[in-house]
Amino acid sequence: MRMTHLLLSAVIAITLAGCAYHPARIEPVPGIIIDDDVWYGHDHDDWEHRKEWEKDRKEWEKDRREWEKEQHKEWRERQKERRKWEKERRKKN
């Protein structure tokens, strides 16, 4: 009986130790690369995309400013209506 418990404990310990082990996932990188014939095309594409991004950002900023102006106008109108309502309420009392 004691041997069964010892064997079972050993199997559990080995199983748990196996679950905890994760080998390194590092890919080997060559020290010297000689003409790999790879062109990623980032130089030109990034410049073109940057122009588009700036244009989109400026449009977004313009839309945001217009939206803020509209919100401010609505807020001012609500303030005026509230003040008018308060004056009428005071007159009634």
Side-chain angles (χ1 to χ4, degrees):
M1 187 73 162
R2 185 173 176 97
M3 188 61 136
T4 308
H5 288 290
L6 186 60
L7 184 60
L8 184 60
S9 298
V11 170
I12 291 173
I14 290 171
T15 303
L16 291 176
C19 292
Y21 175 70
H22 295 287
R25 304 211 190 297
I26 301 172
E27 295 181 11
V29 178
I32 300 172
I33 300 174
I34 300 173
D35 194 22
D36 60 353
D37 289 333
V38 176
W39 181 71
Y40 297 103
H42 293 295
D43 297 336
H44 183 68
D45 291 344
D46 283 348
W47 179 253
E48 293 299 321
H49 287 297
R50 187 174 295 139
K51 287 179 184 178
E52 292 174 14
W53 294 332
E54 280 295 314
K55 182 180 176 184
D56 292 342
R57 186 188 63 81
K58 287 178 182 178
E59 288 177 9
W60 182 82
E61 286 292 322
K62 182 181 175 184
D63 292 342
R64 185 185 59 84
R65 283 191 301 268
E66 289 175 2
W67 179 80
E68 286 178 349
K69 285 179 184 179
E70 290 173 7
Q71 293 295 315
H72 186 71
K73 285 180 183 178
E74 291 175 8
W75 178 78
R76 295 297 266 170
E77 289 174 6
R78 286 192 305 269
Q79 288 292 92
K80 287 179 184 179
E81 290 174 6
R82 183 177 175 201
R83 288 181 185 142
K84 184 178 177 181
W85 179 79
E86 287 177 358
K87 285 181 183 180
E88 291 174 1
R89 194 175 121 214
R90 285 183 202 144
K91 288 179 182 178
K92 289 180 182 179
N93 290 336

